[in-house]
Amino acid sequence: MGHIKSRHLLYHSLANMIAQGVGISASFAGLNLISTPMRLALLAWHRESEFSADRAALIASGNPYHVASMLAMLGGISNRPISESTSLLEGIANVFMSHPILKERVNAVFRFSNSEEYSSIVRKSNYRRMLSNAFTPICQFCGSPKAIEAIFCPECRKSQA
Ligand SMILES: [Zn+2]
């Protein structure tokens, strides 16, 4: 979902085609559409886009262990969720020992989860959610109809902000 929301899919498809050698056969057909430096840049971008999608997964789930679990399951490392206790027992780095690229991605997710940038995103997201709850035509507590701009419910009198 992070890839879709970040509009990665077109370039992802191109990078996958290059990685699978489609570009080479296309150049044999006289369709050398993408130069070598562009191919290398695209492959580098492809790698970085995985880190962006992992960050999106953290923002959506709010829990770095959920992202680690997703990567472990998609990578075929584990079919059980990774929790804080898994991490304490085995060490998260040991879980991903056999998959250095996934290990690097998981480490990046945990670093990002402790960053000021992530805290700021969570604060903004919570604020936006609070505003969207407040600016609806229905009271978020009793469900009574209310004016969109009304801060207090006319029925139960609770503050909507
Ligand atoms: Zn109400």
Side-chain angles (χ1 to χ4, degrees):
M1 290 304 289
H3 284 304
I4 293 168
K5 287 296 282 179
S6 305
R7 300 173 193 271
H8 287 164
L9 295 186
L10 170 64
Y11 296 115
H12 247 253
S13 303
L14 280 175
N16 284 334
M17 283 165 66
I18 289 170
Q20 289 162 13
V22 173
I24 294 165
S25 59
S27 72
F28 281 132
L31 295 167
N32 198 356
L33 298 173
I34 305 171
S35 66
T36 302
M38 279 300 287
R39 284 164 203 257
L40 294 175
L42 192 55
L43 290 174
W45 172 88
H46 183 261
R47 198 182 109 83
E48 295 301 318
S49 77
E50 300 292 2
F51 288 91
S52 300
D54 294 343
R55 285 181 170 206
L58 176 63
I59 291 165
S61 72
N63 186 329
Y65 290 101
H66 293 176
V67 184
S69 297
M70 174 195 72
L71 292 174
M73 289 176 185
L74 287 176
I77 295 169
S78 170
N79 54 12
R80 286 180 309 167
I82 291 172
S83 64
E84 210 158 349
S85 59
T86 318
S87 172
L88 288 172
L89 287 171
E90 300 175 55
I92 204 131
N94 288 333
V95 174
F96 289 93
M97 186 76 86
S98 57
H99 292 67
I101 292 167
L102 289 181
K103 184 173 147 188
E104 194 184 336
R105 285 171 62 182
V106 169
N107 285 338
V109 165
F110 277 90
R111 270 197 311 277
F112 183 58
S113 75
N114 289 316
S115 70
E116 179 50 39
E117 188 183 3
Y118 175 67
S119 300
S120 166
I121 290 167
V122 169
R123 276 195 304 275
K124 285 178 193 165
S125 169
N126 289 341
Y127 184 66
R128 189 176 294 175
R129 190 173 305 122
M130 181 197 78
L131 286 181
S132 75
N133 285 342
F135 291 107
T136 59
I138 293 168
C139 169
Q140 58 184 306
F141 299 102
C142 72
S144 298
K146 71 171 194 64
I148 286 176
E149 69 280 5
I151 293 170
F152 295 96
C153 171
E155 200 60 43
C156 72
R157 305 273 174 213
K158 285 187 178 163
S159 167
Q160 305 294 303

